[in-house]
Amino acid sequence: MDKEAYKVSGVVDGVIYRNEDNGYTVLNIDDGSELLSAVGIMPGIDVGDEVTLTGIVKTHPTYGEQLSVTSFERSAPTTSTAILKYLSSRAIKGVGPRMAQNIVARFGERSLEIMADHPEELSCVRGISLEKAKEISEQIKSTFGFRELAIFLAGYDIRPEEAVRIWNKLGTNAREIIGKNPYVLCEEGINISFRRADEIAAGEGGDIDESLRVRAALVHILKHNGVKNGFTCVPREKLSVKCAEFTGSLRDTVDSVISDMTADASLFEETRERDGTRFVFLPSFHRAETYAAARLQMLLRFPPQIIENIDGRIEAIEREENIRYAGLQKEAIRMALSKGALILTGGPGTGKTTTLNAIIRILQDNGEKVFLAAPTGRAAQRMSDVTGCEAKTIHRLLEVGWSEDDRHIFRKNENNPLACDALVLDEVSMIDSMLLDSLMRAFPLGCRLILVGDSDQLPSVGAGNVLHDMIASGVIPTVALNEVFRQSMKSLIITNAHRINRGEQPVADVKDNDFFFLRCESEEQTKQTVIDLCSTRLPKAYGYSVMSSIQVLSPSRVGALGTEELNRALQSVINPPAEEKTELVINDRTLRVGDKVMQMKNNYDLSWEKDDGSMGEGVFNGEIGVLSEIDRKRREVIVAFDDKTAKYTYDDMTQLDLAYCTTVHKSQGNEFEAVIIPLFHTPRQLLYRNLLYTAVTRAKKLLILVGRPEQMTEMIENNKKTIRYTMLADFLAGKGGTGAEN
């Protein structure tokens, strides 16, 4: 049974385990009367340290009572006894119990001071040369330098694991570096927020150069716009105005700093040819868009060899399959086989899959090796199902891994390209600029590229507008299929999706079909109708399950009909608490065995196993599964996804969220048997057409809108797409780029 939080003070008696990368530590503390086991993020704590730990005592099924530490304070050992215990623990390389006794016998309570600051005196101890004394001095300074840094940073709510990251990045002079320029903490690899760096600068009270603050603010604004708005760049004028407002600095100062940063390549600036607008980039986004554009231009200049007798091959498939390709379908097949690249776009029911299958078949019959990939696991599985060929996620295709400095990398790159003759990518609207860059770096010379997607769907969650920009450039051959085939017209989901896309009202009053609107008079009625549909009505009428077949899609995260509230409500009905169901509270969310959950960010080192015994690592943003087991003894959680079972630590669980209801953005790349969309008081900034179109096209067999029809009408009538500042189209067209960077 867990107990109330409390503090305990004492001396560290032993360190049982420590992860040097993140500071996770298991130790014993002697409070003067008994030994207590403590676990948590406690970097730098060693035997002999005098500490005060705050946390909650929990009963572990194997190890008994443990203090789960939430915060700690410590001081270096001060008494001769504590110093002897510390040095005898071999915390300092080259100092063992006997040498520790000799040092403490000679210097007593001044031992650590002598070891750090007076190596010449330390060398007088038997067995310690001056060279060794200097080595010991550096170790002591490093060890206690980190402690000083961690204590200093804790005053600004910087967590111990973040302190470890800062120490690893800045080294033994970290405290001094931060004192001179707190905004160094905002740099890549450290990623402390601008707000907290600002607090440290204010707390230090020193005379910090204003330009350092403006530099950090500019990077902060560009990063924020990449994450929140999908921008890869920002107009210089807007950036300058925003930064001046944000920092309180003069515009002249901001403009001067922007110029300095572009001069030293901390930022990049490009001018759009058609209107003279100057855009400012972070280096990573500039590198991604210019490199991808240059690589695609090269592909178009040096296309693969044209396949002979394309029309004859098309006719042979038509005879064999007893089908007739439409004119645009034939044009797409010809382009894919005669050009270096093709974009194949079109809405549901327009024959993209039929066209793609013909392209793949002719390529394979010609002896070419074809790779297929999509951004998400479900999209890749669907691609496999409709083509009959293996398809992988893009991350798997590129063989994601880790670098020495703990950043994710792709093993497939310029030096180790993909071994294929043709690469087919589906759901290209979901690919962001950084992922396109990685793909192009692994793209082999002489390879064909076939890009498939729906250009009317929402753009990627990540920064960029890749599919839209590639089409807008006018450089890459593109075929937009626009004929809805007769068999598809039987589905109101498909016909209404096209009506919505054209700005027309959908047909929603036909019985015994697949598209319905259930009118409600209040948010509460809308919410209850959604719950009833998921828990009783659809399972009873169609045999659908909310765990595998039904998906609620909300335009928003917040509000009475947002994902957060609907997930809580649906969980309480579909998977209520029970004595036999283990549960955990993570970030104010209760997750219990049996819950439908979604991975909320890419995690490249989560281990998984498939039914066939194959194993690997990596679970990615948007993957949906069921929480099947919580093991309190091992502090592990098991989640069963469509094609694999993944193992999470308790820390990893912060990346999971309930998935009975997800946002429309998070649903991209997925299809569901039945989709329910609540629309009542939808935030005005989300009332636009392509969001509704994207939501509707997620449904395979049944689509139900619930709420106010007026909300649907507002969305259909608003065809103003959210502006995304990017320059990939300009770089592709050769109108405002400086070429690829390495």
Side-chain angles (χ1 to χ4, degrees):
M1 196 71 176
D2 295 350
K3 297 183 179 180
E4 295 296 319
Y6 80 101
K7 286 186 178 182
V8 59
S9 297
V11 177
V12 177
D13 183 74
V15 175
I16 312 303
Y17 168 79
R18 173 177 292 129
N19 182 325
E20 296 293 350
D21 292 332
N22 60 21
Y24 181 81
T25 305
V26 180
L27 56 80
N28 290 330
I29 178 174
D30 184 350
D31 67 357
S33 59
E34 62 177 343
L35 286 181
L36 176 65
S37 175
V39 300
I41 304 296
M42 297 176 281
I45 285 186
D46 275 307
V47 173
D49 283 355
E50 297 173 5
V51 297
T52 298
L53 308 179
T54 303
I56 298 173
V57 175
K58 298 186 175 183
T59 302
H60 191 282
T62 300
Y63 304 112
E65 285 195 340
Q66 291 182 320
L67 180 67
S68 180
V69 176
T70 55
S71 64
F72 67 93
E73 300 172 14
R74 74 181 146 212
S75 58
T78 54
T79 66
S80 296
T81 301
I83 293 171
L84 177 60
K85 192 167 191 175
Y86 169 69
L87 295 177
S88 298
S89 72
R90 300 186 186 276
I92 303 301
K93 185 179 178 182
V95 177
R98 180 170 292 182
M99 188 173 289
Q101 288 179 347
N102 293 339
I103 293 171
V104 174
R106 187 178 184 100
F107 301 112
E109 293 179 356
R110 294 185 63 233
S111 294
L112 294 179
E113 175 194 341
I114 296 295
M115 294 172 75
D117 300 326
H118 304 286
E120 68 284 356
E121 290 188 44
L122 182 64
S123 66
C124 296
V125 175
R126 183 179 178 183
I128 301 179
S129 65
L130 181 58
E131 183 179 351
K132 185 171 183 177
K134 289 178 179 178
E135 291 176 359
I136 292 172
S137 174
E138 289 302 311
Q139 280 192 70
I140 290 284
K141 287 179 180 179
S142 176
T143 299
F144 290 99
F146 172 75
R147 296 179 184 190
E148 179 189 353
L149 175 70
I151 292 168
F152 163 69
L153 293 173
Y156 295 98
D157 294 326
I158 292 179
R159 302 188 306 274
E161 60 266 34
E162 293 174 313
V164 173
R165 196 165 69 229
I166 292 166
W167 180 260
N168 291 340
K169 182 76 174 179
L170 301 181
T172 55
N173 294 324
R175 178 68 181 85
E176 181 182 348
I177 292 169
I178 294 168
K180 292 179 179 178
N181 177 19
Y183 300 101
V184 72
L185 298 175
C186 302
E187 292 181 0
E188 188 173 349
I190 300 178
N191 297 321
I192 298 299
S193 71
F194 179 84
R195 176 188 61 79
R196 288 197 287 176
D198 233 8
E199 289 174 357
I200 294 173
E204 289 293 270
D207 186 19
I208 296 171
D209 189 338
E210 182 185 12
S211 66
L212 297 175
R213 183 169 185 262
V214 173
R215 288 177 75 99
L218 288 164
V219 172
H220 166 77
I221 293 167
L222 289 166
K223 283 183 177 179
H224 174 83
N225 278 283
V227 172
K228 296 297 183 183
N229 298 320
F231 299 169
T232 60
C233 54
V234 174
R236 176 167 176 155
E237 179 73 12
K238 289 181 180 290
L239 177 63
S240 178
V241 170
K242 182 65 179 177
C243 188
E245 292 174 352
F246 185 66
T247 60
S249 299
L250 296 174
R251 279 285 305 279
D252 287 348
T253 302
V254 174
D255 286 331
S256 176
V257 172
I258 293 175
S259 296
D260 290 344
M261 293 182 76
T262 55
D264 66 21
S266 298
L267 298 176
F268 284 81
E269 185 175 308
E270 297 284 358
T271 301
R272 190 164 63 190
E273 184 178 291
R274 68 176 182 269
D275 58 12
T277 301
R278 293 189 294 172
F279 288 90
V280 178
F281 293 77
L282 290 170
S284 56
F285 286 136
H286 185 264
R287 182 169 54 249
E289 290 201 334
T290 54
Y291 182 90
R295 197 69 184 79
L296 286 164
Q297 288 170 337
M298 185 182 297
L299 169 64
L300 294 168
R301 284 199 302 271
F302 304 102
Q305 186 174 356
I306 297 174
I307 292 178
E308 296 180 358
N309 191 25
I310 295 173
D311 286 342
R313 293 171 186 255
I314 293 172
E315 291 170 4
I317 295 175
E318 287 181 319
R319 287 193 302 271
E320 186 176 328
E321 301 289 339
N322 192 27
I323 58 175
R324 286 289 178 268
Y325 295 112
L328 283 176
Q329 289 181 301
K330 290 181 180 179
E331 182 182 345
I333 297 168
R334 293 188 193 102
M335 279 193 179
L337 302 176
S338 60
K339 306 287 185 181
L342 169 73
I343 297 173
L344 178 63
T345 186
T350 56
K352 292 196 301 292
T353 298
T354 305
T355 307
L356 182 59
N357 282 337
I359 294 169
I360 294 171
R361 176 171 171 179
I362 293 172
L363 288 171
Q364 290 177 333
D365 287 348
N366 199 54
E368 297 197 9
K369 190 173 186 179
V370 183
F371 284 176
L372 282 69
T376 67
R378 287 200 174 193
Q381 183 58 54
R382 189 174 68 253
M383 198 179 187
S384 296
D385 293 341
V386 299
T387 63
C389 303
E390 180 190 12
K392 298 180 179 180
T393 63
I394 293 172
H395 287 83
R396 298 254 181 277
L397 180 77
L398 298 180
E399 297 181 9
V400 67
W402 290 93
S403 65
E404 290 182 0
D405 58 352
D406 211 31
R407 292 183 302 111
H408 86 266
I409 57 170
F410 292 114
R411 297 186 181 95
K412 292 296 182 182
N413 51 39
E414 303 98 318
N415 300 319
N416 182 28
L418 296 166
C420 59
D421 303 302
L423 176 60
V424 181
L425 299 174
D426 198 7
E427 297 284 0
V428 178
S429 63
M430 295 183 65
I431 296 176
D432 60 39
S433 292
M434 299 303 290
L435 189 54
L436 177 67
D437 172 57
S438 297
L439 277 163
M440 289 298 97
R441 290 181 185 276
F443 195 78
L445 289 171
C447 184
R448 303 178 199 279
L449 180 63
I450 296 108
L451 305 165
V452 185
D454 187 341
S455 58
D456 293 313
Q457 288 186 17
L458 292 170
S460 58
V461 174
N465 204 357
V466 166
L467 181 58
H468 171 274
D469 286 353
M470 288 195 291
I471 295 172
S473 72
V475 171
I476 301 174
T478 301
V479 175
L481 302 178
N482 53 28
E483 178 185 347
V484 181
F485 288 93
R486 185 176 302 168
Q487 61 269 30
S488 297
M489 294 179 69
K490 297 176 183 178
S491 166
L492 277 178
I493 293 174
I494 292 176
T495 57
N496 280 337
H498 287 276
R499 289 178 68 89
I500 290 168
N501 207 26
R502 294 193 299 267
E504 301 170 6
Q505 292 298 310
V507 176
D509 57 358
V510 178
K511 294 183 179 181
D512 300 323
N513 212 294
D514 56 7
F515 189 108
F516 303 95
F517 201 115
L518 303 181
R519 185 183 186 102
C520 296
E521 301 303 324
S522 67
E523 283 186 318
E524 184 57 36
Q525 185 187 3
T526 303
K527 176 180 170 182
Q528 193 56 51
T529 301
V530 170
I531 293 171
D532 291 344
L533 286 166
C534 291
S535 60
T536 56
R537 292 167 65 175
L538 295 187
K540 184 176 180 180
Y542 297 92
Y544 290 154
S545 163
V546 74
M547 306 306 292
S548 58
S549 310
I550 304 169
Q551 186 60 53
V552 182
L553 300 181
S554 175
S556 176
R557 288 184 61 252
V558 298
L561 297 174
T563 58
E564 293 180 6
E565 180 59 35
L566 282 175
N567 268 320
R568 280 192 290 267
L570 288 164
Q571 181 194 43
S572 67
V573 174
I574 293 163
N575 188 37
E579 189 174 340
E580 70 276 9
K581 293 179 184 176
T582 310
E583 62 181 46
L584 293 171
V585 177
I586 305 291
N587 291 346
D588 298 324
R589 298 191 308 276
T590 298
L591 299 178
R592 68 177 59 97
V593 169
D595 271 334
K596 184 178 184 179
V597 293
M598 175 182 278
Q599 176 72 18
M600 302 305 289
K601 62 182 289 188
N602 291 339
N603 186 324
Y604 299 95
D605 61 350
L606 277 176
S607 60
W608 51 258
E609 183 174 359
K610 293 189 176 183
D611 290 340
D612 62 7
S614 60
M615 302 176 71
E617 293 181 337
V619 179
F620 303 111
N621 191 354
E623 293 197 55
I624 295 175
V626 176
L627 201 164
S628 60
E629 182 182 347
I630 295 175
D631 188 329
R632 291 191 181 276
K633 180 178 179 180
R634 292 186 173 86
R635 297 176 63 82
E636 292 177 346
V637 171
I638 305 299
V639 178
F641 293 97
D642 286 343
D643 60 342
K644 60 182 177 284
T645 299
K647 185 182 295 184
Y648 288 71
T649 66
Y650 278 12
D651 289 340
D652 293 328
M653 280 191 69
T654 58
Q655 299 168 15
L656 289 174
D657 201 354
L658 294 172
Y660 302 102
C661 176
T662 69
T663 62
V664 178
H665 271 95
K666 283 288 187 182
S667 73
Q668 285 182 268
N670 291 330
E671 281 188 345
F672 310 96
E673 299 292 303
V675 168
I676 302 168
I677 306 171
L679 298 174
F680 206 86
H681 287 142
T682 304
R684 181 160 296 278
Q685 68 270 24
L686 296 173
L687 290 173
Y688 50 94
R689 187 186 299 171
N690 67 339
L691 188 142
L692 179 61
Y693 172 79
T694 300
V696 168
T697 55
R698 299 307 90 205
K700 293 168 65 176
K701 295 182 179 179
L702 183 65
L703 189 286
I704 303 176
L705 294 122
V706 185
R708 296 173 63 238
E710 294 83 359
Q711 293 276 275
M712 179 180 68
T713 299
E714 283 189 66
M715 297 180 83
I716 293 170
E717 291 177 350
N718 180 13
N719 196 31
K720 183 180 178 181
K721 293 182 172 66
T722 303
I723 293 173
R724 281 207 169 185
Y725 291 122
T726 66
M727 281 194 70
L728 178 61
D730 301 270
F731 295 146
L732 277 168
K735 298 177 180 178
T738 54
E741 303 166 49
N742 293 321

